[in-house]
Amino acid sequence: TEISKVIWGKGIPGTYGDVHMATRDGRILGFGGELEPYNGRDCNGSVTFASLNIYSNQLTVNLIEKPHPSWVGECRPFCFISDLGKSGSVFFYEFRNDGGQGTWIYDIQENKFNKLNPSKEPKGLPNTVVYIPDQKAVFAIINNEHQWIYSFEKQTWGEIPLKGSGEVQFMRPYAQTVYSEKYGVLV
């Protein structure tokens, strides 16, 4: 089905971005510009956020002013958080091979990234990040080898020891991890 209406925010450079997340209330969300993993290198520092309402078939695209994370490579550094902000928020973990990382929250209603500045952060590529609502935390697979957790209550990261009877591996490239709220487990 073709999108029936597109609402372009002020100053949009003309990119929709990719489909990244879906919400229970019928929105499909995604980042464009510099945060689009495959084409982001060519977007001259601009970042956009797109939201498609599947019921009204209306797409809204807005430019996000700085500060915001820089371009990221092929990984899954973001997840939707339904119970943070009026329209929900997006958790975003940024890592740079040449140095630096950042833990960010994008407030959809405010159309703004905020850097959280925790006392401790992982140093590695975030293959995936997954929100765990009943724990008020984000689970992350870093470099396909390490498990980390970000606690919103403690406002910091901590590494979780990895144990198993044999070799434990995460599927590449995105670690393919989901959280089942019904059973309270990561799969």
Side-chain angles (χ1 to χ4, degrees):
T1 302
E2 190 172 319
I3 296 170
S4 61
K5 184 176 183 182
V6 178
I7 300 171
W8 293 100
K10 188 176 179 181
I12 299 297
T15 178
Y16 280 76
D18 283 337
V19 173
H20 293 129
M21 297 158 276
T23 68
R24 288 183 178 172
D25 65 355
R27 290 176 290 156
I28 299 172
L29 312 173
F31 290 106
E34 193 172 292
L35 296 186
E36 188 174 344
Y38 301 103
N39 300 325
R41 292 166 270 208
D42 304 319
C43 291
N44 299 322
S46 68
V47 170
T48 58
F49 183 76
S51 177
L52 172 67
N53 183 312
I54 64 170
Y55 299 111
S56 66
N57 201 21
Q58 178 176 299
L59 175 68
T60 303
V61 185
N62 287 307
L63 186 67
I64 305 170
E65 298 295 327
K66 290 185 177 182
H68 51 68
S70 300
W71 177 82
V72 291
E74 190 175 350
C75 61
R76 178 82 180 177
F78 41 76
C79 61
F80 179 70
I81 302 177
S82 61
D83 55 356
L84 190 60
K86 275 186 169 181
S87 298
S89 295
V90 177
F91 181 90
F92 198 107
Y93 181 68
E94 166 191 33
F95 174 73
R96 300 271 151 270
N97 282 328
D98 55 354
Q101 58 269 348
T103 303
W104 300 80
I105 286 288
Y106 171 70
D107 185 307
I108 295 172
Q109 183 75 26
E110 299 291 323
N111 190 36
K112 182 179 177 183
F113 269 105
N114 293 299
K115 199 166 186 182
L116 298 177
N117 297 316
S119 59
K120 182 179 183 180
E121 290 176 307
K123 295 190 183 343
L125 186 69
N127 302 102
T128 194
V129 296
V130 179
Y131 183 52
I132 304 174
D134 52 340
Q135 299 292 316
K136 301 273 188 252
V138 171
F139 175 80
I141 304 296
I142 305 295
N143 287 336
N144 275 319
E145 302 176 58
H146 305 280
Q147 301 176 118
W148 283 75
I149 196 97
Y150 178 81
S151 167
F152 283 99
E153 290 175 353
K154 295 180 181 179
Q155 298 181 343
T156 194
W157 286 92
E159 188 169 5
I160 302 170
L162 191 57
K163 297 177 183 176
S165 58
E167 183 181 1
V168 179
Q169 293 184 341
F170 299 99
M171 297 301 294
R172 295 173 192 253
Y174 305 115
Q176 299 175 349
T177 306
V178 296
Y179 180 70
S180 168
E181 288 185 54
K182 181 177 180 178
Y183 298 105
V185 296
L186 287 159
V187 181

